[in-house]
Amino acid sequence: MDDNKIIELYNCRSEDALIETEKKYGKLVTFIISKLIRNQLDIEECANDTYLGVWFTIPPKTPDNLKAYILKIARNQALKKYEYLHAAKRDIDKCLPYEELSNCLTQESVNGWEDNELKDIIDDFLASLSKSQRQVFMLRYWYFMPVNEISKCCNMSKSKAETILFRARNKLREYLGERGYL
Amino acid sequence: MKSELVYIMSEVDDKYIIEASSCIEQNEKRSLYRFRYAFGVVAAIVCVIILSISNPVLARKLPFVGNIFEYLQDKLDFSGAYQNYSSNADMTVKSGGITVNIQETYCDGENLFVSYQIESDKAFSEYTSEEILKTQLDFDGVICAVSDGKGLNVGDFGVSGLEGEFVDEHTFIGVETVRLEDGVFPDTFVYEVQLYSWNLILNNGTEHKISGFWNLSIPITVNREEVEVIKVNASEENHNIDQVVVSPIMITIYTSYPELYNDNVNYEVVVFSEKTDNNITYQACYGNTEGKTWIPRNLVGDSLSIYVVDYSSFTLKGKDAYDKKEIEKHAIVSTHIDLTE
């Protein structure tokens, strides 16, 4: 079903909206959640929370891109669950690929990032990468995929994917440094 | 701080999220095709598994007894005489019905090889009806080398997880190969492992995870026996082949170059041995100005020829990209190393 029609169903408060969303985007939702959460019951709970999140926010919102909107909610639900499950161990930094980005930002620089400036800078940085570099970067740091899976996904060797990530991280560090965030 | 970065990334422009998701979806389609193609093979294997379950004597052979390095050393991608240089570790932990034993280790200073025996209370085939990849067992967790109280970042190398084989329905034996992300291993350190799952790799491109928690800690002493550091110092146009480290298992080539390749992957080190005219580079990691290239020792006999190329300077595609004559013609800097000297 077309995304506009699904949004129409949400606006009419028809529960078919949830069925159609699950049918169209369920696989991708499960995919992104399962990169952070291992337990099947937790994955299902996160997926249900995602659909509930969509249900409660459309309306009033009308997303420009329903797929990206749903994936963002799924990613945030998975992150929340991950933090809850790992709160006692406090190892979120250690387990996520973000450990690799740890030299790219200082604590001071992220204070007040809500003003969206940092978000815009990261968008600009992504725009400066070539398409294949950007896909590898996003698969690693947005979709949390392991490097070996990225290499299969993008039809490249593991070493090439590692090299692209290494260079992209350096470039991000330079990019943020030039703009006073390092 | 790092977790805040996670949330900043959450808000990137929709178009980049969609662009990356297209990779995932295309890969799923390819996996589906492979799955269909392999259906006949899977069906045959399921039949064998069913037969094995109906006859447990067939399914459960005698437990693996012996030395894992000795058993696997000729079958691995990086084959070699591990057993001659290894040290005993023998540490065992059990969780989630899986017993993990680290049997031996060998660190040549550049690389660390660790032999594992993974034993499951229930047959591995009972976890899934899908065909399992027979030569690899992956895991999720954190591995690091600890020296003087500091954790050194470690990256896996070669296949992801363990390379080895299922010796029976309940037992996998394999070797994990790791290297430091920066520099070489200190003379002594502790190999620390915290694993959260063992992952059976399925034919449909996904993994079946067996969860638990396995925490192992093994003291390691580097063994530099028969490890040779060859200073090359070949240089042209600021492109250098600095040194080559030859160990019984692996050859590591250190190169450096000007900061010309930040935005592209044109820089490459191509290596030929007298055994073959094919490029034998196995894995490489190229930073802004320094790179490392790895070659299994068993692919090289008495000599090797190393060429540094910038692929933007000439046009060669597919297998021609590694044509020896073309590479010789276009190399920026090259060297020939005789290992018998």
Side-chain angles (χ1 to χ4, degrees):
Chain A
M1 185 184 278
D2 179 58
D3 282 355
N4 288 331
K5 283 187 182 157
I6 297 177
I7 291 172
E8 243 173 62
L9 289 174
Y10 277 108
N11 285 331
C12 299
R13 310 316 287 158
S14 164
E15 289 183 12
D16 286 347
L18 295 170
I19 296 167
E20 293 300 328
T21 304
E22 206 274 337
K23 208 191 284 178
K24 190 165 181 185
Y25 296 118
K27 257 189 170 179
L28 215 48
V29 165
T30 307
F31 176 87
I32 188 164
I33 295 170
S34 64
K35 293 295 152 203
L36 282 179
I37 310 294
R38 313 282 179 226
N39 180 292
Q40 192 54 40
L41 287 175
D42 288 336
I43 293 172
E44 282 169 22
E45 192 187 322
C46 264
N48 289 335
D49 288 345
T50 301
Y51 302 131
L52 215 58
V54 181
W55 177 257
F56 283 125
T57 52
I58 306 176
K61 285 186 180 171
T62 308
D64 293 334
N65 191 312
L66 182 65
K67 185 179 180 182
Y69 184 75
I70 292 167
L71 287 176
K72 279 182 180 177
I73 294 178
R75 185 179 186 271
N76 284 336
Q77 290 295 343
L79 279 167
K80 265 195 221 166
K81 190 70 175 178
Y82 186 92
E83 285 189 333
Y84 170 76
L85 293 172
H86 293 76
K89 287 191 252 167
R90 295 180 187 281
D91 60 355
I92 183 167
D93 290 339
K94 199 158 58 178
C95 296
L96 290 176
Y98 279 78
E99 173 72 10
E100 298 164 10
L101 290 177
S102 58
N103 295 328
C104 292
L105 273 182
T106 59
Q107 177 61 58
E108 297 73 41
S109 66
V110 292
N111 291 337
W113 66 272
E114 290 82 355
D115 63 4
N116 277 343
E117 190 185 63
L118 195 49
K119 179 235 175 235
D120 290 343
I121 289 174
I122 289 174
D123 276 344
D124 288 347
F125 159 73
L126 288 170
S128 74
L129 300 176
S130 69
K131 186 181 174 186
S132 63
Q133 289 169 335
R134 192 165 50 235
Q135 281 176 326
V136 171
F137 189 87
M138 287 292 288
L139 291 175
R140 181 73 176 146
Y141 301 116
W142 206 89
Y143 288 89
F144 304 113
M145 284 173 69
V147 178
N148 59 332
E149 276 184 35
I150 295 171
S151 65
K152 278 180 215 158
C153 220
C154 299
N155 266 335
M156 61 175 67
S157 69
K158 193 179 166 195
S159 64
K160 187 171 177 183
E162 280 178 334
T163 305
I164 288 173
L165 287 169
F166 180 83
R167 288 179 178 162
R169 284 197 301 272
N170 284 347
K171 194 170 177 180
L172 176 61
R173 199 175 303 133
E174 277 172 25
Y175 215 81
L176 292 169
E178 285 165 8
R179 286 154 185 79
Y181 279 88
L182 197 64
Chain B
M1 186 273 285
K2 296 159 208 162
S3 0
E4 285 156 5
L5 197 54
V6 174
Y7 289 103
I8 294 169
M9 277 292 287
S10 293
E11 295 305 317
V12 297
D13 199 298
D14 290 355
K15 64 183 177 216
Y16 303 133
I17 299 168
I18 300 301
E19 185 181 72
S21 79
S22 67
C23 270
I24 298 166
E25 286 162 331
Q26 277 169 16
N27 187 52
E28 261 190 20
K29 280 180 196 164
R30 286 198 298 267
S31 299
L32 188 66
Y33 174 78
R34 285 197 295 269
F35 174 77
R36 283 176 182 161
Y37 187 76
F39 181 76
V41 178
V42 175
I45 286 164
V46 168
C47 288
V48 171
I49 291 168
I50 290 166
L51 278 174
S52 300
I53 290 168
S54 65
N55 186 348
V57 177
L58 279 179
R60 182 81 170 118
K61 284 196 259 173
L62 289 171
F64 180 79
V65 181
N67 181 287
I68 295 170
F69 274 148
E70 185 184 14
Y71 183 83
L72 290 176
Q73 63 188 13
D74 295 327
K75 304 176 181 180
L76 300 171
D77 274 357
F78 309 124
S79 61
Y82 292 79
Q83 202 204 354
N84 296 349
Y85 307 94
S86 61
S87 307
N88 284 330
D90 200 21
M91 183 176 182
T92 302
V93 289
K94 184 170 184 180
S95 172
I98 300 282
T99 305
V100 176
N101 172 257
I102 291 183
Q103 192 188 72
E104 289 176 299
T105 63
Y106 168 45
C107 182
D108 60 14
E110 298 275 339
N111 316 282
L112 171 64
F113 308 94
V114 182
S115 70
Y116 281 79
Q117 179 167 337
I118 314 301
E119 195 153 15
S120 172
D121 286 349
K122 69 176 184 181
F124 282 109
S125 57
E126 287 179 43
Y127 287 106
T128 171
S129 57
E130 289 285 341
E131 185 191 357
I132 301 167
L133 186 64
K134 296 288 186 289
T135 55
Q136 192 179 348
L137 186 62
D138 205 355
F139 56 72
D140 291 328
V142 178
I143 294 181
C144 70
V146 178
S147 172
D148 293 332
K150 275 188 198 166
L152 307 170
N153 285 339
V154 160
D156 66 351
F157 190 84
V159 301
S160 177
L162 305 185
E163 182 189 4
E165 65 180 56
F166 289 90
V167 287
D168 63 51
E169 278 283 281
H170 296 256
T171 313
F172 183 89
I173 57 169
V175 173
E176 161 77 339
T177 305
V178 295
R179 55 180 158 84
L180 282 188
E181 285 179 356
D182 293 306
V184 295
F185 285 101
D187 288 346
T188 58
F189 62 94
V190 177
Y191 170 71
E192 287 201 350
V193 186
Q194 291 183 347
L195 303 179
Y196 311 119
S197 71
W198 287 98
N199 310 334
L200 299 168
I201 300 169
L202 311 181
N203 192 45
N204 63 10
T206 62
E207 291 183 333
H208 178 89
K209 295 176 188 289
I210 307 165
S211 297
F213 182 68
W214 301 267
N215 190 357
L216 298 107
S217 190
I218 309 281
I220 309 278
T221 301
V222 170
N223 179 0
R224 291 202 169 80
E225 192 184 340
E226 293 189 36
V227 175
E228 192 183 357
V229 179
I230 302 166
K231 300 282 181 195
V232 180
N233 295 326
S235 181
E236 289 290 338
E237 298 170 29
N238 289 325
H239 288 70
N240 312 306
I241 301 169
D242 299 312
Q243 69 174 27
V244 176
V245 180
V246 183
S247 94
I249 309 296
M250 197 87 75
I251 295 177
T252 311
I253 301 166
Y254 286 78
T255 55
S256 53
Y257 37 87
E259 206 168 337
L260 298 173
Y261 306 101
N262 289 349
D263 300 322
N264 58 66
V265 288
N266 293 326
Y267 179 89
E268 204 160 325
V269 175
V270 181
V271 183
F272 301 103
S273 78
E274 80 284 6
K275 284 187 176 180
T276 170
D277 280 347
N278 295 325
N279 176 29
I280 54 171
T281 295
Y282 183 87
Q283 197 162 330
C285 185
Y286 304 127
N288 274 357
T289 57
E290 289 179 342
K292 277 190 192 180
T293 306
W294 291 272
I295 299 157
R297 178 68 181 87
N298 65 313
L299 294 183
V300 179
D302 293 335
S303 67
L304 72 161
S305 301
I306 304 167
Y307 301 90
V308 171
V309 290
D310 174 357
Y311 275 104
S312 66
S313 67
F314 60 107
T315 310
L316 287 174
K317 285 183 180 167
K319 63 177 185 177
D320 291 340
Y322 297 111
D323 180 86
K324 192 176 178 183
K325 279 182 188 158
E326 292 293 333
I327 293 292
E328 280 172 351
K329 197 163 77 185
H330 293 283
I332 301 171
V333 59
S334 64
T335 191
H336 181 80
I337 294 176
D338 187 345
L339 298 174
T340 59
E341 286 176 356

